[in-house]
Structures are given as C-alpha cells and as structure tokens.
Amino acid sequence: MPPHHNDDFPPLPIVPDPHHLVTDDPAWTYTSACAGGGGIALLRVWRTAGDGHLAIVTENGIAVSITNAAEEISAALADRYPGPLVILEHYRAGDGAPHDRLDQVLVVPGRAPRWRPVWPTGPANPNFAINRTWMSELGSVLLAARAH
C-alpha cells in the first residue's frame, strides 16, 4: 500500500480478530461544542494489524449527533487509543436511510472534518470494489460484533 499523507484517508484496516473488542461501550459519552454539549453513542474498538485501532461509533439519536461532534470524538479517541487510528461513523437503517450507513471520518487539525462513504457505495465510486470486499470479509462481522 502506498503511504498516505496526513490529509488523506488511510486505507480500511485489517482486524486480525474481529471477535476480540478492546472496547464495547453501549453508552459511551462524548462532548461537543454544539449546543447540546455532547451525546451518547455505541463505541466499539478493535486492534488492527500494525498496532493501530479501528473505532466504530454508532449513532443512537441521543443529543448531539456523532457527525456534528466528529472533531471532539476524533480527539477523544486519539487520546485514548495511541498509534494509527481509523474512525468509522455508523448510522443504523431507519435513521434517514433504508439501510445501514458507514462512513470513514478524517479530522486533520486546522481543517474541517471530511467523510468518505464506506458502505453502501455505488459502482461509480472509485473505492467500490475495495469497500465491497472489506465489507464482505470484515465490515459486516464488525458491525455485528459485541463483547460477550
């Protein structure tokens, strides 16, 4: 894989053991500069190949949305999980769409946050084949994973 710049989206990571979560918090609280001051989300985190972490933050509709708090969520997760970190926002079906949505979040200091659709994407999306493979081999398992 080619190296990425700090303002490019890192590739979707490999999670060696998708059933071993580092964190599974159904009521994770986060702060926000938005009027609501913060919110509550489902947070799941895994170790990735290469000593990094993958965090999936699932919106639950309580207070400030995870999208509106992207900068604060990214900062909090980067402080808690050192090394390379990939953050995915997850919106469940019925929350504005008939299907689950998964977007990668990139926050670079001094710039506005950016989002890249992971799933679903259409065939015209340049990442369609990579995302489809990642979702079929790993992403769907991760979205269903919970600590036991």
Side-chain angles (χ1 to χ4, degrees), residues 102-104 115-121 125 127 131:
L102 199 58
D103 296 295
Q104 187 174 359
W115 289 264
R116 175 176 73 163
V118 172
W119 198 254
T121 58
N125 183 304
N127 297 312
N131 291 359

Side-chain angles (χ1 to χ4, degrees), residues 13 15 21 23-25 28 41-46 53-59 66 73 77 81 85-91 101-103 134-135 138-145:
V15 175
L21 288 91
T23 300
D24 180 16
D25 187 345
W28 181 66
L42 165 59
L43 173 66
R44 290 168 289 172
V45 180
W46 297 261
H53 292 90
L54 168 67
I56 296 179
V57 183
T58 301
E59 174 68 32
I66 59 176
I73 288 172
L77 294 176
Y81 303 101
L85 175 65
V86 172
I87 300 171
L88 301 178
E89 284 186 357
H90 175 225
Y91 281 84
R101 295 182 336 233
L102 199 58
D103 296 295
W134 189 85
M135 283 300 294
L138 187 61
S140 297
V141 173
L142 296 175
L143 287 178

